[in-house]
Amino acid sequence: MRAVEFQEYGDPEVLKVVQVETPEPGPGEVTVDAAYAGVNFADLKARAAGYRVESLPFRPGLEVSGRIRAVGHGVEGLRPGQDVVALVNHGAYAEVVVAQAATVFPLPEGLDPRTAAALPTVLPTAHALIHEVGRLRAGESVLVHGAAGGVGTVAGQLARAAGAGAVYGVVSSPAKAGHALKHGYDEVFTADTFSDDVRRATDGRGVDLVLDPVGGDTLRRGLDALAVFGRLVSFGNASGAEPWHVGQPELYTQGRSVAGLSVLALAQSAPEALRALSERAFRTVTDGTVSLPVTAEFPLSDAAGAHRLMGGRTSMGKLLLRTAD
Ligand SMILES: NC(=O)c1ccc[n+]([C@@H]2O[C@H](COP(=O)([O-])OP(=O)(O)OC[C@H]3O[C@@H](n4cnc5c(N)ncnc54)[C@H](OP(=O)(O)O)[C@@H]3O)[C@@H](O)[C@H]2O)c1
């Protein structure tokens, strides 16, 4: 079968199509004949900087839709021929993908494989950021960095549906601002001025919740943009900054909280919690609360094209790889 791997870290060109043996599922695993794989920012971080890479060559890809090919020992409730969508630890850029049964889901009702492939990573992430971790209450305000990207496009809509009093986004271009404003956001700011913009928009009060995938200085300024008793959830480090440390001085004075989330870590540490979260999150798409537009699709053989688009900071919504050429 064909897969996309890299042997060394670097630009998108290090992604190569390779012929490898078709895998068989181990105990507790299934194999999926892939239709589509989602592209995530974490795939770019893996390729460029070795994020979550244990050894080379490495096959990126965290999510896939397709049809179950084979089922390993001990797997219950899934059968060959079933249409599914799955979150995987890595390796979704391939014609056949190995997945832990715990994170394989029957194709959500009414969804086609193309729409579904966009969901397993960013949708549960956004749901947890707004609800389980961020605990947004009706009337509260929220600020979301990367508002036009995969997570951001969903987070804005979920915040709006949760009855947020105001939904603010941060984006890097006017085109992205237009996209965010169509997906739940009331107002959109740029990274250089967002803390002042928040103060202005909230009459000096600050926001109740900040969702931060950037880290570093942006995280620090996000803390400053919080209202009294505000919460910040860190869920990424797009800036590549050193790991952050927050202590008593930043938190005690105004009763602030900082939380963190990684759905990939959750898949390892608490797969049942991730499964329940994902099922709740999928329902927000099947009931029409949320949509996640696929704005570009690439053949598997041009995974580099998808990485160039996202890495150039021009992508919006979700990018997919199609297995069929
Ligand atoms: N913790 C989790 O469980 C989890 C799960 C999924 C994703 N994530 C994180 O969430 C973020 C979005 O992921 P995604 O896959 O949906 O990607 P995406 O948002 O579709 O695309 C990448 C995003 O990163 C922003 N960006 C790129 N380079 C940046 C830089 N140097 N500094 C600041 N922002 C930069 C871009 O926003 P602008 O160009 O508008 O700044 C863009 O929104 C990523 O940081 C990812 O690692 C975390």
Side-chain angles (χ1 to χ4, degrees), residues 40-41 122 125 146 149-151 171-172 176 213-214 235 238 261-263 313:
N40 286 278
F41 193 67
V122 302
T125 301
V151 175
V171 296
S172 64
K176 287 186 173 186
V214 181
F235 67 105
L261 171 76
S262 161
V263 291
R313 293 178 80 161

Side-chain angles (χ1 to χ4, degrees), residues 2-254:
R2 290 179 314 141
V4 171
E5 297 184 350
F6 57 84
Q7 289 269 6
E8 56 179 327
Y9 304 121
D11 291 337
E13 289 62 41
V14 300
L15 296 169
K16 306 282 185 212
V17 176
V18 292
Q19 285 290 340
V20 292
E21 244 178 70
T22 303
E24 295 294 334
E29 294 176 344
V30 306
T31 47
V32 177
D33 282 321
Y36 294 94
V39 177
N40 286 278
F41 193 67
D43 306 339
L44 279 69
K45 283 271 201 192
R47 188 209 77 227
Y51 171 65
R52 294 182 73 251
V53 177
E54 283 175 6
S55 62
L56 295 172
F58 184 79
R59 194 178 304 165
L62 300 173
E63 58 196 349
V64 63
S65 68
R67 191 158 285 176
I68 292 185
R69 177 185 181 90
V71 169
H73 184 70
V75 172
E76 287 173 13
L78 296 168
R79 52 177 170 70
Q82 192 175 2
D83 288 331
V84 292
V85 64
L87 178 75
V88 298
N89 195 35
H90 65 89
Y93 289 12
E95 287 177 327
V96 180
V97 177
V98 182
Q100 293 289 331
T103 51
V104 176
F105 303 86
L107 199 65
E109 207 181 314
L111 298 191
D112 57 81
R114 187 172 183 273
T115 308
L119 306 179
T121 314
V122 302
L123 182 62
T125 301
H127 196 283
L129 291 171
I130 295 295
H131 292 291
E132 287 80 1
V133 186
R135 300 176 195 191
L136 187 73
R137 288 171 300 199
E140 289 190 326
S141 53
V142 56
L143 175 78
V144 182
H145 291 277
V151 175
T153 297
V154 180
Q157 296 170 76
L158 286 174
R160 165 84 36 240
V167 186
Y168 303 117
V170 178
V171 296
S172 64
S173 71
K176 287 186 173 186
H179 175 95
L181 292 169
K182 285 191 206 127
H183 292 91
Y185 291 87
D186 295 305
E187 248 187 280
V188 182
F189 311 132
T190 54
D192 47 344
T193 61
F194 77 84
S195 34
D196 291 342
D197 294 330
V198 163
R199 291 283 160 202
R200 177 192 44 74
T202 60
D203 292 328
R205 177 182 176 274
V207 285
D208 299 297
L209 179 63
V210 171
L211 305 180
D212 180 78
V214 181
D217 177 54
T218 300
L219 183 135
R220 296 253 154 230
R221 292 194 292 128
L223 279 174
D224 287 341
L226 285 176
V228 176
F229 307 145
R231 290 100 58 203
L232 180 148
V233 187
S234 164
F235 67 105
N237 190 33
S239 65
E242 290 297 308
W244 50 268
H245 297 280
V246 174
Q248 290 180 357
E250 297 95 327
L251 302 182
Y252 273 39
T253 49
Q254 304 215 4

